[in-house]
Amino acid sequence: MSNARETAARFFKTYADALLARDEKAIGGMYAVPSLILFPGTSVAVGDVAQTEQFFAASWSQYEGVESAEPRILVIAEAPGSLWVDVTWSYGGAARERFCYQLVERDGWQIAVLTPMDLP
């Protein structure tokens, strides 16, 4: 699982860098098409990279003042070409968000399923 851990660490370092740069195009490219976002009571099917880019472009205000993003990464499962990763994001030294990401390998790793989780 150490290779999976290294893969996830590299992926989420790149993701954090794009988040801090407020680069919705870079983040959009990190989501598979199609992908699925599973909010409580709502599922969002993502069928276009522009959909992800627009979502992030519209949500940058929620990250106002955030200058560092530290992911605590736990690889919870792996299969050929797929990783399930529990990530708790800390901003300003405090845990703020937690998600379970299913990453798939398609010309590099991408997020196929995103599920918000309760903070520990």
Side-chain angles (χ1 to χ4, degrees):
M1 186 113 31
S2 66
N3 190 34
R5 170 82 169 95
E6 292 167 11
T7 296
R10 279 192 306 273
F11 181 88
F12 288 106
K13 166 71 170 93
T14 301
Y15 191 93
D17 290 346
L19 182 74
L20 293 172
R22 312 303 192 261
D23 187 345
E24 62 268 6
K25 290 208 177 293
I27 290 178
M30 298 182 80
Y31 281 79
V33 175
S35 60
L36 184 61
I37 313 300
L38 298 172
F39 292 108
T42 304
S43 298
V44 178
V46 179
D48 183 317
V49 172
Q51 192 177 352
T52 302
E53 293 172 359
Q54 291 166 1
F55 171 82
F56 278 94
S59 65
W60 290 135
S61 63
Q62 79 182 41
Y63 299 102
E64 192 170 315
V66 172
E67 296 178 13
S68 68
E70 299 297 325
R72 185 183 55 78
I73 297 167
L74 175 63
V75 176
I76 55 178
E78 65 179 301
S82 192
L83 299 174
W84 288 262
V85 186
D86 181 334
V87 179
T88 301
W89 290 97
S90 293
Y91 309 123
R96 304 285 185 196
E97 298 179 307
R98 181 177 172 217
F99 299 97
C100 183
Y101 298 86
Q102 182 181 3
L103 303 180
V104 294
E105 192 172 19
R106 297 182 185 162
D107 296 324
W109 291 92
Q110 295 180 304
I111 299 164
V113 180
L114 171 73
T115 306
M117 306 282 285
D118 289 334
L119 285 170

